[in-house]
Coordinates of all heavy atoms in Angstrom, one line a residue:
M1456 N 49.8 83.2 105.7 CA 51.1 83.2 106.5 C 52.2 83.5 105.5 O 52.3 82.9 104.4 CB 51.3 81.9 107.1 CG 52.5 81.8 108.0 SD 52.5 80.4 109.1 CE 53.9 79.5 108.5
R1457 N 53.1 84.3 105.9 CA 54.3 84.7 105.0 C 55.3 83.5 105.0 O 55.5 82.9 106.0 CB 55.0 85.9 105.6 CG 55.7 86.7 104.6 CD 56.3 88.0 105.1 NE 57.7 87.8 105.1 CZ 58.5 88.1 106.1 NH1 58.1 88.5 107.2 NH2 59.8 87.9 106.0
H1458 N 55.8 83.3 103.8 CA 56.8 82.2 103.6 C 58.0 82.5 104.5 O 58.5 83.7 104.5 CB 57.2 82.1 102.2 CG 58.0 80.9 101.8 ND1 59.3 80.8 102.3 CD2 57.8 79.9 101.0 CE1 59.8 79.6 101.8 NE2 58.9 79.1 101.0
P1459 N 58.5 81.6 105.3 CA 59.7 81.9 106.2 C 61.0 82.2 105.4 O 61.8 82.9 106.0 CB 59.8 80.6 107.0 CG 59.1 79.6 106.3 CD 58.1 80.2 105.4
L1460 N 61.1 81.7 104.2 CA 62.3 82.0 103.4 C 61.8 82.5 102.0 O 61.9 81.7 101.1 CB 63.2 80.8 103.3 CG 63.9 80.4 104.6 CD1 64.5 79.1 104.6 CD2 64.9 81.5 105.0
P1461 N 61.4 83.7 101.9 CA 60.9 84.2 100.6 C 61.9 84.1 99.5 O 63.1 84.3 99.8 CB 60.5 85.6 100.9 CG 61.2 86.0 102.1 CD 61.4 84.8 102.9
G1462 N 61.5 83.7 98.3 CA 62.4 83.6 97.2 C 63.0 82.3 97.0 O 63.7 82.0 96.0
L1463 N 62.9 81.4 98.0 CA 63.4 80.0 97.9 C 62.3 79.1 97.5 O 61.3 79.0 98.2 CB 64.1 79.6 99.2 CG 65.3 80.4 99.6 CD1 65.8 79.8 100.9 CD2 66.4 80.4 98.6
G1464 N 62.5 78.3 96.4 CA 61.6 77.3 96.0 C 61.8 76.0 96.6 O 62.7 75.8 97.4
P1465 N 61.0 75.0 96.3 CA 61.1 73.7 96.8 C 62.5 73.0 96.7 O 63.0 72.3 97.6 CB 60.0 72.8 96.1 CG 59.1 73.9 95.5 CD 59.9 75.1 95.3
K1466 N 63.1 73.2 95.5 CA 64.4 72.6 95.3 C 65.5 73.2 96.2 O 66.3 72.5 96.8 CB 64.8 72.7 93.8 CG 64.0 71.8 92.9 CD 64.5 71.9 91.5 CE 63.7 71.1 90.6 NZ 64.1 71.1 89.2
S1467 N 65.5 74.5 96.3 CA 66.4 75.2 97.2 C 66.2 74.8 98.6 O 67.2 74.5 99.4 CB 66.3 76.7 97.1 OG 66.6 77.1 95.8
L1468 N 64.9 74.7 99.1 CA 64.6 74.3 100.4 C 65.1 72.8 100.7 O 65.6 72.5 101.7 CB 63.1 74.4 100.7 CG 62.6 75.9 100.7 CD1 61.1 75.9 100.8 CD2 63.3 76.7 101.9
A1469 N 64.9 72.0 99.7 CA 65.4 70.6 99.8 C 66.9 70.5 99.9 O 67.4 69.7 100.7 CB 64.9 69.8 98.6
M1470 N 67.6 71.3 99.1 CA 69.1 71.4 99.2 C 69.5 71.8 100.6 O 70.4 71.2 101.2 CB 69.7 72.3 98.2 CG 69.7 71.7 96.8 SD 70.8 72.6 95.7 CE 69.6 73.8 95.1
L1471 N 68.8 72.8 101.2 CA 69.2 73.3 102.5 C 68.9 72.2 103.5 O 69.8 71.9 104.4 CB 68.3 74.5 102.9 CG 68.7 75.8 102.1 CD1 67.7 76.9 102.5 CD2 70.1 76.3 102.5
A1472 N 67.8 71.5 103.4 CA 67.4 70.5 104.4 C 68.5 69.3 104.3 O 68.9 68.8 105.3 CB 66.0 69.9 104.1
A1473 N 68.9 69.0 103.1 CA 69.8 67.9 102.9 C 71.2 68.3 103.5 O 72.0 67.4 103.9 CB 70.0 67.6 101.4
A1474 N 71.4 69.6 103.6 CA 72.7 70.1 104.2 C 72.6 70.3 105.7 O 73.5 70.9 106.3 CB 73.2 71.3 103.4
G1475 N 71.5 70.0 106.3 CA 71.3 70.2 107.7 C 70.9 71.6 108.1 O 71.1 72.0 109.2
I1476 N 70.3 72.3 107.2 CA 69.8 73.7 107.4 C 68.3 73.6 107.3 O 67.7 73.9 106.2 CB 70.4 74.7 106.4 CG1 71.9 74.6 106.5 CG2 70.0 76.1 106.7 CD1 72.7 75.3 105.4
P1477 N 67.6 73.3 108.3 CA 66.1 73.0 108.2 C 65.2 74.2 108.2 O 64.0 74.1 107.8 CB 65.9 72.1 109.5 CG 66.8 72.7 110.5 CD 68.1 73.0 109.7
D1478 N 65.7 75.4 108.6 CA 64.8 76.5 108.8 C 65.5 77.8 108.8 O 66.7 77.9 108.7 CB 64.0 76.4 110.1 CG 64.9 76.2 111.3 OD1 66.0 76.7 111.3 OD2 64.4 75.6 112.3
R1479 N 64.7 78.9 108.8 CA 65.3 80.2 108.8 C 66.3 80.5 109.9 O 67.3 81.2 109.7 CB 64.1 81.3 108.8 CG 64.6 82.7 108.7 CD 63.5 83.7 108.8 NE 64.1 85.0 108.5 CZ 64.2 85.6 107.3 NH1 63.8 84.9 106.2 NH2 64.8 86.7 107.1
T1480 N 66.0 80.0 111.1 CA 66.8 80.2 112.2 C 68.2 79.7 111.9 O 69.2 80.3 112.2 CB 66.3 79.6 113.5 OG1 65.0 80.2 113.8 CG2 67.1 79.8 114.7
A1481 N 68.3 78.5 111.4 CA 69.6 77.9 111.1 C 70.3 78.7 110.0 O 71.5 78.9 110.0 CB 69.4 76.4 110.6
L1482 N 69.5 79.1 109.0 CA 70.1 79.9 107.9 C 70.6 81.3 108.5 O 71.8 81.7 108.1 CB 69.1 80.2 106.8 CG 69.6 81.0 105.6 CD1 70.8 80.5 105.0 CD2 68.4 81.2 104.6
E1483 N 69.9 81.9 109.3 CA 70.3 83.2 109.9 C 71.6 83.0 110.8 O 72.5 83.8 110.8 CB 69.2 83.8 110.8 CG 68.1 84.3 110.0 CD 66.9 84.8 110.9 OE1 66.8 84.3 112.0 OE2 66.1 85.5 110.4
R1484 N 71.7 81.8 111.5 CA 72.8 81.6 112.3 C 74.1 81.4 111.4 O 75.1 81.9 111.8 CB 72.6 80.3 113.1 CG 73.6 80.0 114.1 CD 73.3 78.8 115.1 NE 72.7 77.7 114.5 CZ 71.4 77.4 114.6 NH1 70.5 78.1 115.3 NH2 70.9 76.3 114.0
L1485 N 74.0 80.8 110.3 CA 75.1 80.5 109.4 C 75.4 81.7 108.6 O 76.6 82.1 108.3 CB 74.8 79.4 108.5 CG 74.9 78.0 109.1 CD1 74.3 76.9 108.1 CD2 76.3 77.6 109.5
G1486 N 74.4 82.4 108.1 CA 74.6 83.4 107.0 C 74.6 82.8 105.7 O 74.8 81.6 105.5
A1487 N 74.4 83.6 104.7 CA 74.2 83.1 103.3 C 75.5 82.4 102.8 O 75.4 81.3 102.2 CB 73.9 84.2 102.3
V1488 N 76.7 82.9 103.0 CA 77.9 82.3 102.5 C 78.2 81.0 103.1 O 78.4 80.0 102.4 CB 79.1 83.3 102.6 CG1 80.4 82.7 102.3 CG2 78.9 84.6 101.8
A1489 N 78.2 80.9 104.5 CA 78.4 79.7 105.1 C 77.4 78.6 104.8 O 77.7 77.4 104.6 CB 78.5 79.9 106.6
A1490 N 76.1 79.0 104.7 CA 75.1 78.1 104.3 C 75.3 77.5 102.9 O 75.2 76.3 102.6 CB 73.7 78.8 104.4
Y1491 N 75.7 78.4 102.0 CA 76.0 78.0 100.6 C 77.1 77.0 100.6 O 77.0 75.9 99.9 CB 76.3 79.2 99.8 CG 76.8 78.9 98.4 CD1 75.9 78.6 97.4 CD2 78.1 78.9 98.0 CE1 76.3 78.2 96.1 CE2 78.6 78.6 96.8 CZ 77.7 78.3 95.8 OH 78.1 78.0 94.5
L1492 N 78.2 77.2 101.3 CA 79.3 76.3 101.4 C 78.9 75.0 102.0 O 79.3 73.9 101.6 CB 80.4 76.9 102.2 CG 81.2 78.0 101.4 CD1 82.2 78.7 102.3 CD2 81.9 77.5 100.2
Q1493 N 78.0 75.0 103.0 CA 77.5 73.8 103.6 C 76.7 73.0 102.7 O 76.8 71.7 102.6 CB 76.7 74.1 104.9 CG 76.4 72.9 105.8 CD 75.9 73.3 107.1 OE1 76.5 74.2 107.8 NE2 74.9 72.7 107.6
V1494 N 75.9 73.6 101.9 CA 75.1 72.9 100.8 C 76.1 72.3 99.8 O 75.9 71.1 99.5 CB 74.1 73.9 100.1 CG1 73.5 73.3 98.9 CG2 73.0 74.4 101.1
K1495 N 77.1 73.0 99.4 CA 78.0 72.5 98.4 C 78.8 71.3 99.0 O 79.0 70.2 98.4 CB 79.1 73.5 98.0 CG 78.5 74.7 97.2 CD 78.0 74.2 95.8 CE 79.2 74.2 94.9 NZ 78.8 73.9 93.5
R1496 N 79.2 71.4 100.3 CA 79.9 70.3 101.0 C 79.0 69.0 101.1 O 79.5 67.9 101.2 CB 80.4 70.7 102.3 CG 81.7 71.5 102.3 CD 82.4 71.7 103.6 NE 81.5 72.4 104.6 CZ 81.5 73.7 104.7 NH1 82.3 74.5 104.0 NH2 80.7 74.3 105.6
A1497 N 77.7 69.3 101.2 CA 76.8 68.2 101.3 C 76.5 67.5 100.0 O 75.7 66.5 99.9 CB 75.4 68.7 101.9
G1498 N 77.2 68.0 99.0 CA 77.1 67.3 97.6 C 75.9 67.8 96.8 O 75.6 67.1 95.8
Q1499 N 75.3 68.9 97.2 CA 74.2 69.4 96.4 C 74.6 70.2 95.2 O 75.7 70.8 95.3 CB 73.3 70.2 97.4 CG 72.7 69.5 98.5 CD 71.8 68.3 98.1 OE1 70.9 68.5 97.3 NE2 72.1 67.2 98.6
P1500 N 73.9 70.1 94.1 CA 74.3 70.8 92.9 C 73.9 72.3 92.9 O 73.1 72.7 92.1 CB 73.5 70.0 91.8 CG 72.2 69.6 92.5 CD 72.7 69.3 94.0
A1501 N 74.5 73.0 93.8 CA 74.1 74.4 94.0 C 74.9 75.3 93.1 O 76.2 75.2 93.0 CB 74.3 74.8 95.4
S1502 N 74.3 76.2 92.4 CA 74.9 77.3 91.6 C 75.0 78.5 92.4 O 74.4 78.6 93.5 CB 74.2 77.5 90.3 OG 73.0 78.2 90.6
L1503 N 75.7 79.5 91.9 CA 75.7 80.8 92.6 C 74.4 81.5 92.8 O 74.2 82.3 93.6 CB 76.7 81.8 91.9 CG 78.2 81.5 92.1 CD1 79.0 82.4 91.2 CD2 78.6 81.6 93.6
N1504 N 73.4 81.1 91.9 CA 72.1 81.6 92.1 C 71.5 81.2 93.5 O 70.7 82.0 94.0 CB 71.1 81.1 91.0 CG 71.4 81.8 89.7 OD1 72.0 82.8 89.6 ND2 70.9 81.2 88.6
L1505 N 71.9 80.1 94.0 CA 71.5 79.8 95.4 C 72.0 80.8 96.4 O 71.3 81.2 97.3 CB 71.8 78.3 95.7 CG 71.4 77.9 97.2 CD1 69.9 77.9 97.3 CD2 72.0 76.6 97.6
L1506 N 73.3 81.1 96.2 CA 73.9 82.1 97.1 C 73.1 83.4 97.1 O 72.8 84.0 98.1 CB 75.4 82.3 96.8 CG 76.1 83.4 97.6 CD1 76.1 83.1 99.1 CD2 77.5 83.5 97.1
W1507 N 72.8 83.9 95.9 CA 72.0 85.1 95.7 C 70.7 84.9 96.4 O 70.2 85.9 97.1 CB 71.8 85.5 94.3 CG 72.9 85.4 93.3 CD1 72.8 85.1 92.0 CD2 74.3 85.7 93.5 NE1 74.1 85.1 91.4 CE2 75.0 85.5 92.3 CE3 75.1 86.1 94.6 CZ2 76.4 85.7 92.1 CZ3 76.5 86.3 94.5 CH2 77.1 86.1 93.2
A1508 N 70.0 83.8 96.2 CA 68.7 83.6 96.7 C 68.7 83.5 98.3 O 67.8 84.0 99.0 CB 68.1 82.3 96.2
L1509 N 69.8 82.9 98.8 CA 69.9 82.8 100.3 C 70.1 84.2 100.9 O 69.4 84.5 101.9 CB 71.1 81.9 100.7 CG 71.0 80.4 100.3 CD1 72.3 79.7 100.6 CD2 69.9 79.8 101.0
E1510 N 70.9 85.0 100.3 CA 71.1 86.4 100.8 C 69.8 87.1 100.6 O 69.4 87.9 101.5 CB 72.2 87.1 100.0 CG 72.5 88.5 100.5 CD 73.1 88.6 101.8 OE1 73.6 87.5 102.4 OE2 73.2 89.7 102.4
G1511 N 69.1 86.9 99.5 CA 67.8 87.6 99.3 C 66.8 87.2 100.3 O 66.0 88.0 100.9
A1512 N 66.7 85.9 100.7 CA 65.8 85.4 101.7 C 66.1 86.0 103.0 O 65.1 86.3 103.8 CB 65.9 83.9 101.8
L1513 N 67.3 86.2 103.3 CA 67.7 86.8 104.6 C 67.5 88.3 104.7 O 67.2 88.9 105.7 CB 69.1 86.5 105.0 CG 69.4 85.0 105.3 CD1 70.9 84.8 105.4 CD2 68.7 84.6 106.5
T1514 N 67.6 89.0 103.5 CA 67.5 90.5 103.5 C 66.2 91.0 103.0 O 65.9 92.2 103.0 CB 68.6 91.1 102.7 OG1 68.5 90.6 101.3 CG2 70.0 90.7 103.3
G1515 N 65.4 90.1 102.4 CA 64.1 90.5 101.9 C 64.2 91.1 100.5 O 63.3 91.8 100.0
Q1516 N 65.3 90.8 99.8 CA 65.5 91.3 98.4 C 65.3 90.2 97.4 O 65.6 89.0 97.7 CB 66.9 91.8 98.3 CG 67.3 93.0 99.2 CD 68.7 93.3 98.9 OE1 69.0 94.1 98.0 NE2 69.6 92.9 99.8
P1517 N 64.8 90.5 96.2 CA 64.8 89.5 95.2 C 66.2 89.0 94.8 O 67.2 89.8 94.9 CB 64.2 90.2 94.0 CG 63.5 91.4 94.5 CD 64.3 91.8 95.8
W1518 N 66.4 87.8 94.5 CA 67.7 87.3 94.2 C 68.4 88.0 93.1 O 69.6 88.2 93.0 CB 67.7 85.8 93.9 CG 67.1 85.3 92.6 CD1 65.9 84.9 92.4 CD2 67.8 85.3 91.4 NE1 65.7 84.7 91.1 CE2 66.9 84.8 90.4 CE3 69.1 85.6 90.9 CZ2 67.2 84.7 89.1 CZ3 69.4 85.4 89.6 CH2 68.5 84.9 88.7
Q1519 N 67.6 88.5 92.1 CA 68.1 89.3 91.0 C 68.8 90.6 91.5 O 69.8 91.0 91.0 CB 67.0 89.6 90.0 CG 66.4 88.4 89.3 CD 65.1 87.9 90.1 OE1 65.0 88.1 91.3 NE2 64.2 87.2 89.4
T1520 N 68.2 91.2 92.4 CA 68.7 92.4 93.0 C 70.0 92.1 93.7 O 71.0 92.8 93.6 CB 67.7 93.1 94.0 OG1 66.5 93.4 93.2 CG2 68.3 94.4 94.6
V1521 N 70.0 91.1 94.5 CA 71.2 90.6 95.2 C 72.3 90.4 94.2 O 73.5 90.8 94.4 CB 71.0 89.4 96.1 CG1 72.3 88.9 96.7 CG2 70.0 89.7 97.2
A1522 N 72.0 89.6 93.1 CA 73.0 89.3 92.1 C 73.6 90.5 91.5 O 74.8 90.6 91.2 CB 72.4 88.4 91.1
R1523 N 72.8 91.5 91.3 CA 73.3 92.8 90.7 C 74.0 93.7 91.6 O 75.1 94.2 91.3 CB 72.0 93.5 90.1 CG 72.4 94.7 89.2 CD 71.1 95.3 88.6 NE 70.1 95.7 89.6 CZ 68.9 95.1 89.7 NH1 68.6 94.1 89.0 NH2 68.1 95.6 90.6
E1524 N 73.5 93.8 92.9 CA 74.0 94.8 93.8 C 75.0 94.3 94.8 O 75.8 95.1 95.4 CB 72.8 95.5 94.4 CG 72.0 96.3 93.5 CD 70.8 97.0 94.1 OE1 70.6 96.9 95.3 OE2 70.0 97.5 93.3
E1525 N 74.9 93.0 95.1 CA 75.7 92.5 96.2 C 76.7 91.4 95.7 O 77.4 90.8 96.5 CB 74.8 91.8 97.3 CG 73.8 92.8 97.9 CD 74.4 93.8 98.7 OE1 75.5 93.6 99.3 OE2 73.8 94.9 98.8
R1526 N 76.8 91.2 94.4 CA 77.6 90.1 93.8 C 79.1 90.2 94.3 O 79.6 89.2 94.8 CB 77.5 90.2 92.3 CG 78.4 89.2 91.6 CD 78.4 89.4 90.1 NE 77.1 89.2 89.5 CZ 76.7 88.0 89.0 NH1 77.5 87.0 89.0 NH2 75.5 87.9 88.5
T1527 N 79.7 91.4 94.2 CA 81.1 91.5 94.5 C 81.3 91.2 96.0 O 82.2 90.4 96.3 CB 81.6 92.9 94.1 OG1 81.4 93.1 92.7 CG2 83.1 93.0 94.4
R1528 N 80.5 91.8 96.8 CA 80.7 91.5 98.3 C 80.6 90.1 98.6 O 81.4 89.5 99.4 CB 79.7 92.4 99.1 CG 79.8 92.1 100.6 CD 78.7 92.9 101.3 NE 77.3 92.5 101.0 CZ 76.8 91.4 101.5 NH1 77.4 90.6 102.4 NH2 75.5 91.0 101.2
L1529 N 79.5 89.4 98.1 CA 79.3 88.0 98.4 C 80.4 87.1 97.8 O 80.8 86.2 98.4 CB 77.9 87.6 97.9 CG 76.8 88.1 98.7 CD1 75.5 87.9 97.9 CD2 76.7 87.5 100.1
L1530 N 80.9 87.4 96.6 CA 81.9 86.6 96.0 C 83.2 86.8 96.8 O 84.0 85.8 97.0 CB 82.1 87.0 94.5 CG 81.0 86.5 93.6 CD1 81.3 87.0 92.2 CD2 80.9 85.0 93.6
L1531 N 83.5 88.0 97.3 CA 84.7 88.2 98.1 C 84.6 87.4 99.4 O 85.5 86.8 99.9 CB 85.0 89.6 98.3 CG 85.5 90.4 97.1 CD1 85.5 91.9 97.5 CD2 86.8 90.0 96.7
A1532 N 83.4 87.4 100.0 CA 83.2 86.7 101.3 C 83.3 85.2 101.0 O 83.8 84.5 101.9 CB 81.8 87.1 101.9
L1533 N 82.8 84.7 99.9 CA 82.8 83.3 99.6 C 84.3 82.9 99.4 O 84.7 81.9 99.9 CB 82.0 83.1 98.3 CG 82.0 81.6 97.8 CD1 81.4 80.7 98.8 CD2 81.2 81.6 96.5
D1534 N 85.0 83.7 98.7 CA 86.5 83.4 98.4 C 87.2 83.4 99.8 O 88.0 82.5 100.0 CB 87.1 84.5 97.5 CG 88.5 84.1 97.1 OD1 88.7 83.0 96.6 OD2 89.4 85.0 97.3
A1535 N 87.0 84.3 100.6 CA 87.6 84.4 101.9 C 87.3 83.1 102.8 O 88.1 82.5 103.4 CB 87.3 85.6 102.7
A1536 N 86.0 82.7 102.8 CA 85.6 81.6 103.5 C 86.2 80.3 103.0 O 86.6 79.4 103.7 CB 84.1 81.5 103.5
Q1537 N 86.3 80.2 101.7 CA 86.9 79.0 101.0 C 88.4 79.0 101.4 O 89.0 77.9 101.6 CB 86.7 79.0 99.5 CG 85.2 78.7 99.2 CD 84.9 78.8 97.7 OE1 85.4 79.8 97.1 NE2 84.1 78.0 97.2
E1538 N 89.0 80.1 101.3 CA 90.5 80.2 101.6 C 90.7 79.8 103.1 O 91.7 79.1 103.4 CB 91.0 81.6 101.4 CG 92.5 81.8 101.6 CD 93.3 81.0 100.6 OE1 92.9 80.7 99.5 OE2 94.4 80.6 101.1
A1539 N 89.9 80.2 104.0 CA 90.0 79.9 105.4 C 89.9 78.4 105.6 O 90.6 77.8 106.5 CB 89.0 80.6 106.2
T1540 N 89.1 77.7 104.9 CA 88.9 76.3 105.0 C 90.1 75.5 104.4 O 90.3 74.3 104.8 CB 87.6 75.7 104.5 OG1 87.6 76.0 103.1 CG2 86.4 76.4 105.1
R1541 N 90.9 76.1 103.5 CA 92.0 75.5 102.9 C 93.2 75.5 103.8 O 94.2 74.8 103.6 CB 92.3 76.1 101.6 CG 91.3 75.8 100.5 CD 91.9 76.2 99.1 NE 91.6 77.6 98.8 CZ 90.6 78.0 98.2 NH1 89.7 77.2 97.7 NH2 90.5 79.3 97.9
R1542 N 93.2 76.4 104.8 CA 94.4 76.5 105.7 C 94.4 75.4 106.7 O 93.6 74.8 107.1 CB 94.3 77.9 106.4 CG 94.5 79.0 105.4 CD 94.5 80.3 106.1 NE 94.5 81.3 105.0 CZ 94.4 82.6 105.3 NH1 94.2 83.0 106.5 NH2 94.4 83.4 104.3

């Protein structure tokens, strides 16, 4: 059986669960950026590598590819989401 969230290890899955994101459906509903912010708000020690891995799990890409090719887009989306919560 294929892993429902490829590229995410036990620690990442535990951080997601602790943040109330129990499965792929919940991650898909939120998207990588909102899920990353939810993990951070839950007090989990997430680095940007988790953001890359979340996007990779959703798109089927290795996190390294996401970090290289999608970094700017994701960082801009993260900045916009953080700015929206500050208003």
Side-chain angles (χ1 to χ4, degrees):
M1456 185 166 119
R1457 205 175 115 228
H1458 191 294
L1460 291 168
L1463 296 180
K1466 289 182 182 180
S1467 297
L1468 293 173
M1470 283 193 274
L1471 289 172
I1476 306 167
D1478 54 29
R1479 182 180 187 89
T1480 301
L1482 178 58
E1483 287 173 342
R1484 187 171 44 253
L1485 287 169
V1488 171
Y1491 174 79
L1492 288 172
Q1493 190 165 317
V1494 167
K1495 294 291 279 184
R1496 281 193 298 271
Q1499 297 299 307
S1502 71
L1503 285 174
N1504 284 344
L1505 179 64
L1506 177 58
W1507 317 144
L1509 293 174
E1510 182 70 12
L1513 291 173
T1514 62
Q1516 300 177 79
W1518 72 265
Q1519 299 91 334
T1520 300
V1521 172
R1523 186 176 59 249
E1524 297 177 5
E1525 303 291 333
R1526 176 185 298 264
T1527 301
R1528 178 184 64 79
L1529 288 169
L1530 288 175
L1531 288 171
L1533 179 60
D1534 187 54
Q1537 290 172 320
E1538 183 64 30
T1540 62
R1541 287 192 278 265
R1542 293 179 187 175

